[in-house]
Amino acid sequence: MDLMFTFELDRPAARLLTASREAAQAAEDEWYRRGVALFLVGPAWEAVKLPARLVHGVAAGRHRGWVRAMLYCFGVTGPVARVGGNYVVLVPPGTAAGWDAAVECVTTTEHEAHYIGLPSPRTCEGSRAHWIIPPDGNVLSPASAVRALVTAGADTDGGDDEGTQP
C-alpha cells in the first residue's frame, strides 16, 4: 500500500483525536511505526473505559461481530477501541461526572492531563489494540447510549475474560 494513501485514510481520525495539525502528523507517524499512538484526552472528546466483562456480558459473548452489533443496538455509534481488558468509547466532552463505579471516564482537567493509547483507524482486528468501530469524521458516541449499556451490563455476568482479546 502506498504510504501517502495510508496517511490519507488516517488523517480524518487523527484530526478528530488531536487538537493541532502538528499533533495529527505525529499521530500518523506513530501509527505507521508502532500501530498505536498516545493522545491527550480532551478537549474535543473524553474516553469511557468499559471492562470487557461488562461488554461481553451484554453481548452474550466475545465475538467481534456480536459486540459491534450490540453496541449499535444501544446507540453506541462513535469510535470504540479494544485496548487490553477494556473497550474504550469516545464520548463528547463534559460527560466525565457521574459514571458508575464499574467504568472509568478519562478526561483532562486544568490540573491533570491524561493520555490514552489508541490504534491506527486501519487496525480493526487482531489480538492487539484494535477498533471495533473505527473513527469516522467527527462522530462521537452519545454518553446516554453508553450509560444505557452500563446499566444493562450491571444485570449480567460476562465471565472472567477481562484480559482476553476476541
Side-chain angles (χ1 to χ4, degrees):
M1 180 182 284
D2 182 299
L3 184 60
M4 190 55 120
F5 179 70
T6 301
F7 284 157
E8 286 300 320
L9 292 175
D10 292 347
R11 193 155 286 128
R15 287 191 183 136
L16 167 67
L17 299 171
T18 61
S20 70
R21 176 167 286 179
E22 295 79 20
Q25 182 61 51
E28 291 173 10
D29 292 345
E30 285 300 302
W31 282 333
Y32 178 71
R33 286 194 304 242
R34 294 184 170 83
V36 175
L38 275 180
F39 293 94
L40 176 65
V41 178
W45 52 272
E46 293 175 350
V48 179
K49 292 181 176 181
L50 304 175
R53 180 178 185 169
L54 182 145
V55 173
H56 296 163
V58 176
R62 301 179 323 126
H63 187 273
R64 201 173 138 14
W66 295 345
V67 170
R68 183 190 304 214
M70 178 273 303
L71 291 168
Y72 279 121
C73 286
F74 275 90
V76 178
T77 56
V80 179
R82 177 70 194 265
V83 180
N86 293 301
Y87 287 86
V88 178
V89 184
L90 303 188
V91 295
T95 60
W99 284 93
D100 185 281
V103 303
E104 176 187 4
C105 187
V106 181
T107 188
T108 293
T109 66
E110 63 183 76
H111 303 291
E112 192 172 17
H114 289 275
Y115 292 84
I116 192 162
L118 294 172
S120 161
R122 293 172 283 110
T123 307
C124 293
E125 57 186 43
S127 60
R128 303 179 92 172
H130 62 278
W131 292 98
I132 302 300
I133 303 173
D136 183 18
N138 291 326
V139 176
L140 296 169
S141 291
S144 59
V146 181
R147 287 181 198 279
L149 172 62
V150 171
T151 299
D155 297 330
T156 65
D157 180 11
D160 191 21
D161 62 348
E162 294 179 11
T164 307
Q165 295 282 340

